[in-house]
Amino acid sequence: MTTLRRPISEWRLPSLRLAMQWISQWFPKVAVFNFLREAAMAFPHLQQPSFLLATLKADSIHKPFAQQCQDLVKVIEDFPAKELHAIFPWLVESIFGSLDGVLVGWNLRCLQGRMSPVEYSIAVEFLDPGGPMMKLVYKLQAEDYKFDFPVSSLPGPVKASIQECVLPDSPLYHNKVQFPPAGGLGLNLALNPFEYYMFFFALSLIIQKPLPGALHVRTSDCAYFILVDRYLSWFLPTEGSVLPPLASSPGVPSPSPAPRTPAMPFASYGLPHTSLLKRHVSHQTSVNADPASHEIWRSETLLQVFVEMWLHHYSLEMYQKMQSPHAKEAFTPTEEHVLVVRLLLKHLHAFSNSLKPEQVSPSAHSHAASPLEEFKRAAVPRFVQQKLYLFLQHCFGHWPLDASFRAVLEMWLSYLQPWRYAPEKQAQSSDCQARCASERWAPFVQENLLMYTKLFVGFLSRALRTDLVSPKNALMVFRVAKVFAQPNLAEMIQKGEHLFLEPELVIPHRQHRLLAAPTLTGSFLSPWPPAVTDASLKVKSHAYSLEGQDCKYTPMFGPEVRTLVLRLAQLITQAKQTAKSISDQCGESSAGRPFLSWLGFHSTDTNSSYPGNDLDDMGQDSVRKTDEYLEKALEYLCRVFRLSEAQLAQLTLASGTARDESGKKLLPDCTVGEDGLILTPLGRYQIINGLRRFDIKYQGDSELQPVRSYENASLVRVLFRLSSAINRRFAGQMADLCSRADFLGSFCRYHLMDPGLADRHLLSPVGRGRAASCAQGPRLSLRFLGSYRMLLSLLLAFFVASLFCVGPLPCALVLTLGYLLYAVAMTLLTERAKLHQL
């Protein structure tokens, strides 16, 4: 006790550490923090914040999660920014994980409310835009602290550009690149606290890999997805203005806005900004603090960080290189990544559409417009358009041909339909015209022409390589066709193509003025230039900004794409017939199966014509859905590309989907050779895509088939030896019985003769020579007793009989008598059927 009465400045370091341990055991947490604050003031030469940092690190290991967050809230409230400065990088890393992916952090991507409600609620509230973590960010922001962020952790194109000493196009990096000191390793960005926090938050989606047990986590329910939605709603509001930074505590100055970096004026948004913008990083211009931009600097920073970290993984040069089939993928997005990007796009559309109708027209661009209104008008074309286009091009070209592509597809369709995210009040006031593809959206369609046309061609190439019999693939074709069949959309796309394909009969200096790269000098809120009246040049400038001046364009309504659409319509018709064939075959097999076959008295049919198709597993309902999706998709495609009924009828005949006289599906396209049928390239395509199949059946001895998964191998072999011995011993007597013309002969033929031998045909050339030797006389087969289903049925029958006090022997006699009655009835029906056939 006497030690604590001494002034703390007279202590030595070992005694200080012992006192810290003793106080943490006997005093509440507040006393420890007050003690650390006094120690930091008494020892200025000992890196004061390290005491607080060491305590928090120890607590993160030994204390439960809820207690850790409570302590952090108290630290953020009580300690000044000077002492919180040192713990901020560690805290951010402990939440979002390390940049190398080794430390997982709080694992927000797998944290769900229904699985861990307490931890989920605490984490979301702590990281909320109005929560304690943001208070810490604004507290440090007020003191103008900077934190180093390694350039090596940035997306590939940005990292390569900075390492080549070329300043990236995005103003997010301007005036932030720090060269390493003498002997230092690597380049860094000097970021303010808000930027540093958002960089880590956005990159955690890319770097951190989900845990093995989190494979079935719904992305929309996880804490990360919810936080993205809250940040977008807070910093990109659809109603009102951006909320000001939170006041941290009484007596503490409110955080000053981050000085704006020199950026492009809104006037140049959407125009090309490629090679002419490449400047050496040593030529970073000085900071231009525009007071009018203080209102939206956080909104602009958040959007730029999200777009750069989530979308800027492919540059235009990289995209052109990736067209080579031998190119290696630099970055592969995940389905979760795509879902979060879709959330961003939907919110951006709602954010941009929240402009009042009188503010949307170019004539409204004036000095009187607020920075937020200008930002709403320019957010999508300036920050998102080009990077999203390259991102989608890569996904369309490299995503696996499976149902997971649905996430990419819905992200693309969400961007193509900004009218779906018009505000409710605006939609009601305009008689719901704001939420459909009306003429007011023609400028958006023209500015994003390649998003509609070139990506549609990319989708066609994918659809032509997928199995459209699958309900999930059929649904994707239906979704795309439905979106493009919306009223007025096809006409607006066609008008945009006409403008793009117009010959460039314009004054040279006028074209140069429009297509030249914009300058980086001047205020972010510079006035808009006079509107260019030539609509053709507008469309071309936007297309060239996405793919460069040497853009090779294939018209969506030209003959090449129309040929692809006709091929897709043909495949849709074939897939509909294939689905119907599968449905009919399943119905026939289930209806023609004898009742006692469920008890194992007849072998299971192993000669299905469509093995492994997912429709067999999902039932008739999936067949019905597939047929509905394909029928509607075909109708929508005919509406968009004006296909006539005569063309569809011709496609049906050309596809060979008509049935033959027996009502069965035709074989794949073949030619007859010396050794039998030979597949043509069309036939191979039909088999690979599940459009046609050969009627493959087992042609050998049924007793020598491989042991099936539903059979007991040892029991099958024993039964085979027993039946073989009986057949060898009584072969003559069984032949005599089967040769009789009376009822006993018919009864023996029903049990001892294989009815499938007479129907076998289309033997391969190799098997034709052995066909005669494979013929078998009357014989007994006991293999059905080796089936697990048969054994289970017998056990169930004996168990039920025991409940009624019937012993095993009487039960066996009853089963034998029942089967004899069934066999007699089947013998009579078989003989009657043979008489009708004669």
Side-chain angles (χ1 to χ4, degrees):
M1 282 298 182
T2 56
T3 305
L4 290 177
R5 295 174 184 172
R6 296 169 53 195
I8 195 170
S9 59
E10 298 179 6
W11 292 11
R12 294 185 180 179
L13 189 57
S15 61
L16 179 61
R17 292 175 178 172
L18 293 175
M20 287 175 56
Q21 298 176 1
W22 184 82
I23 291 177
S24 62
Q25 295 176 2
W26 297 100
F27 286 84
K29 196 68 183 178
V30 178
V32 178
F33 290 146
N34 292 334
F35 174 78
L36 291 175
R37 183 185 301 173
E38 185 181 354
M41 296 174 62
F43 296 94
H45 59 285
L46 292 179
Q47 294 184 1
Q48 300 93 331
S50 63
F51 300 107
L52 178 60
L53 180 59
T55 303
L56 292 177
K57 286 184 177 181
D59 290 346
S60 65
I61 299 175
H62 302 293
K63 286 195 173 184
F65 180 73
Q67 185 62 42
Q68 294 179 39
C69 291
Q70 291 179 8
D71 294 344
L72 287 173
V73 172
K74 188 65 177 174
V75 169
I76 294 171
E77 290 288 343
D78 293 347
F79 279 75
K82 186 176 181 180
E83 299 179 33
L84 296 174
H85 168 252
I87 72 167
F88 183 68
W90 167 83
L91 180 58
V92 171
E93 187 175 272
S94 66
I95 294 174
F96 302 121
S98 58
L99 295 174
D100 56 6
V102 176
L103 299 180
V104 180
W106 289 5
N107 199 19
L108 298 173
R109 293 168 56 187
C110 302
L111 187 59
Q112 287 188 293
R114 57 188 180 90
M115 303 296 294
S116 306
V118 177
E119 290 81 359
Y120 170 86
S121 177
I122 293 174
V124 170
E125 294 305 319
F126 185 83
L127 301 175
D128 186 80
M133 192 63 190
M134 274 300 167
K135 290 183 180 179
L136 172 60
V137 171
Y138 297 142
K139 209 171 187 179
L140 297 174
Q141 191 81 32
E143 302 295 334
D144 198 23
Y145 284 110
K146 298 293 183 181
F147 300 91
D148 288 339
F149 187 91
V151 171
S152 59
S153 299
L154 295 175
V158 180
K159 177 174 60 177
S161 178
I162 295 178
Q163 289 176 347
E164 294 173 1
C165 295
V166 177
L167 193 63
D169 296 343
S170 174
L172 181 66
Y173 308 104
H174 295 176
N175 205 50
K176 294 183 175 67
V177 180
Q178 302 292 320
F179 291 97
L185 298 177
L187 294 167
N188 291 312
L189 298 179
L191 305 178
N192 64 47
F194 186 81
E195 293 168 338
Y196 188 82
Y197 175 83
M198 286 302 170
F199 266 63
F200 266 85
F201 176 78
L203 278 175
S204 64
L205 176 67
I206 310 298
I207 296 176
Q208 301 299 326
K209 303 302 179 183
L211 299 178
L215 298 178
H216 304 288
V217 175
R218 286 188 58 185
T219 302
S220 58
D221 295 337
C222 68
Y224 189 88
F225 193 89
I226 299 300
L227 287 171
V228 171
D229 185 56
R230 290 193 182 187
Y231 288 153
L232 291 174
S233 301
W234 185 284
F235 295 106
L236 303 176
T238 56
E239 295 182 3
S241 59
V242 184
L243 296 176
L246 303 172
S248 53
S249 60
V252 178
S254 59
S256 60
R260 287 199 50 81
T261 56
M264 297 181 192
F266 282 113
S268 60
Y269 279 4
L271 299 182
H273 43 286
T274 53
S275 59
L276 294 180
L277 290 183
K278 293 181 178 180
R279 300 182 301 159
H280 199 278
V281 294
S282 61
H283 298 155
Q284 301 177 73
T285 56
S286 59
V287 172
N288 177 18
D290 185 0
S293 65
H294 290 168
E295 178 185 342
I296 62 165
W297 74 267
R298 290 173 297 145
S299 303
E300 182 197 344
T301 299
L302 176 123
L303 177 58
Q304 289 186 77
V305 170
F306 283 0
V307 171
E308 288 293 314
M309 300 305 125
W310 294 344
L311 295 178
H312 196 187
H313 294 273
Y314 315 100
S315 62
L316 183 59
E317 294 79 6
M318 185 183 300
Y319 161 71
Q320 294 170 349
K321 292 178 182 178
M322 291 298 292
Q323 304 309 303
S324 170
H326 306 291
K328 295 183 179 180
E329 291 191 56
F331 174 80
T332 304
T334 62
E335 188 174 352
E336 179 187 11
H337 179 185
V338 171
L339 292 175
V340 174
V341 172
R342 187 192 179 206
L343 175 65
L344 171 65
L345 297 179
K346 291 166 65 176
H347 191 89
L348 279 176
H349 277 322
F351 177 67
S352 300
N353 293 339
S354 63
L355 276 172
K356 297 178 181 179
E358 62 270 14
Q359 299 170 344
V360 177
S361 62
S363 60
H365 302 168
S366 63
H367 294 285
S370 69
L372 183 60
E373 293 169 355
E374 295 283 354
F375 184 54
K376 287 181 180 181
R377 188 179 297 112
V380 173
R382 167 63 183 92
F383 295 111
V384 179
Q385 189 183 48
Q386 185 189 41
K387 296 178 177 64
L388 176 64
Y389 177 73
L390 297 178
F391 184 84
L392 285 171
Q393 279 281 22
H394 182 273
C395 290
F396 273 60
H398 296 83
W399 201 277
L401 290 172
D402 56 21
S404 66
F405 185 72
R406 174 78 186 279
V408 178
L409 188 77
E410 294 299 335
M411 175 182 66
W412 173 49
L413 296 180
S414 294
Y415 182 80
L416 297 186
Q417 304 175 85
W419 46 85
R420 291 186 55 195
Y421 309 102
E424 292 285 348
K425 296 180 181 179
Q426 185 176 332
Q428 294 174 1
S429 62
S430 57
D431 299 329
C432 298
Q433 290 299 316
R435 292 207 169 186
C436 62
S438 59
E439 287 295 331
R440 60 165 289 199
W441 297 103
F444 178 87
V445 175
Q446 295 172 8
E447 292 172 4
N448 295 272
L449 181 64
L450 299 186
M451 289 281 194
Y452 289 91
T453 59
K454 202 151 190 181
L455 291 180
F456 179 81
V457 176
F459 174 76
L460 283 180
S461 65
R462 290 184 61 92
L464 293 173
R465 292 177 290 158
T466 55
D467 180 13
L468 298 183
V469 182
S470 169
K472 296 178 180 179
N473 293 335
L475 175 59
M476 287 192 281
V477 176
F478 163 75
R479 289 282 296 122
V480 173
K482 181 180 179 181
V483 168
F484 278 83
Q486 294 179 85
N488 302 321
L489 182 56
E491 289 77 8
M492 289 189 289
I493 296 175
Q494 200 163 9
K495 182 179 179 181
E497 284 195 327
H498 289 324
L499 293 174
F500 180 75
L501 297 175
E502 278 186 5
E504 299 180 0
L505 300 177
V506 294
I507 301 174
H509 76 272
R510 183 183 176 189
Q511 179 181 1
H512 175 75
R513 177 173 58 85
L514 178 74
L515 299 184
T519 177
L520 277 175
T521 59
S523 170
F524 189 73
L525 298 176
S526 298
W528 289 66
V532 180
T533 57
D534 197 323
S536 176
L537 288 181
K538 283 186 179 180
V539 177
K540 291 176 181 178
S541 66
H542 286 288
Y544 294 153
S545 69
L546 297 183
E547 286 208 352
Q549 296 284 346
D550 54 347
C551 171
K552 296 180 181 179
Y553 185 75
T554 303
M556 177 176 168
F557 294 94
E560 297 181 20
V561 178
R562 188 177 182 84
T563 302
L564 295 178
V565 173
L566 290 174
R567 282 186 57 194
L568 179 61
Q570 181 178 357
L571 291 183
I572 290 175
T573 307
Q574 292 177 345
K576 288 176 59 182
Q577 292 289 349
T578 303
K580 194 172 186 305
S581 300
I582 296 174
S583 177
D584 294 343
Q585 185 180 15
C586 294
E588 292 173 2
S589 61
S590 60
R593 188 177 296 162
F595 171 74
L596 288 183
S597 67
W598 294 102
L599 298 178
F601 291 111
H602 283 267
S603 61
T604 303
D605 183 17
T606 60
N607 294 321
S608 172
S609 298
Y610 300 94
N613 195 292
D614 59 349
L615 291 175
D616 297 332
D617 300 330
M618 291 183 279
Q620 297 294 318
D621 187 56
S622 293
V623 177
R624 179 183 57 81
K625 287 183 178 179
T626 300
D627 188 68
E628 291 178 0
Y629 292 148
L630 295 178
E631 182 70 29
K632 281 293 185 181
L634 192 58
E635 176 185 340
Y636 291 139
L637 288 175
C638 292
R639 184 186 307 173
V640 174
F641 293 92
R642 299 181 178 88
L643 302 180
S644 63
E645 293 291 337
Q647 287 175 311
L648 289 182
Q650 185 179 3
L651 285 175
T652 303
L653 294 176
S655 63
T657 54
R659 293 168 176 254
D660 59 10
E661 295 180 357
S662 62
K664 299 297 183 182
K665 195 78 167 55
L666 294 178
L667 297 176
D669 191 65
C670 302
T671 59
V672 180
E674 296 180 358
D675 295 329
L677 300 177
I678 301 175
L679 276 175
T680 64
L682 176 60
R684 295 190 186 94
Y685 177 84
Q686 292 168 340
I687 292 179
I688 292 174
N689 289 275
L691 303 176
R692 295 187 186 181
R693 295 181 186 274
F694 285 104
D695 188 17
I696 301 175
K697 293 184 178 181
Y698 182 76
Q699 301 286 340
D701 188 352
S702 58
E703 287 293 294
L704 299 179
Q705 293 184 68
V707 178
R708 306 294 181 178
S709 59
Y710 54 82
E711 293 177 324
N712 183 284
S714 302
L715 190 56
V716 166
R717 294 186 180 96
V718 171
L719 292 173
F720 174 74
R721 296 191 186 97
L722 178 60
S723 59
S724 299
I726 295 175
N727 292 330
R728 286 193 299 269
R729 177 67 179 82
F730 300 102
Q733 291 87 332
M734 288 190 292
D736 294 339
L737 289 174
C738 291
S739 62
R740 296 177 57 152
D742 54 4
F743 176 78
L744 181 59
S746 300
F747 187 83
C748 292
R749 285 193 295 273
Y750 178 78
H751 287 89
L752 301 179
M753 298 292 291
D754 186 0
L757 288 175
D759 299 331
R760 291 177 184 170
H761 56 283
L762 290 178
L763 291 174
S764 66
V766 179
R768 286 173 183 165
R770 297 180 296 178
S773 62
C774 293
Q776 297 287 344
R779 58 179 179 174
L780 177 67
S781 177
L782 300 177
R783 181 164 178 163
F784 69 94
L785 293 174
S787 170
Y788 289 117
R789 187 173 62 182
M790 179 62 182
L791 297 175
L792 181 61
S793 301
L794 292 176
L795 290 176
L796 182 61
F798 285 117
F799 174 74
V800 173
S802 65
L803 297 179
F804 295 94
C805 300
V806 178
L809 184 59
C811 179
L813 293 176
V814 171
L815 291 177
T816 304
L817 180 61
Y819 176 75
L820 289 176
L821 294 176
Y822 165 78
V824 169
M826 291 301 299
T827 301
L828 294 175
L829 292 175
T830 303
E831 291 299 319
R832 181 174 298 180
K834 289 181 179 180
L835 292 175
H836 284 292
Q837 291 177 357
L838 296 176

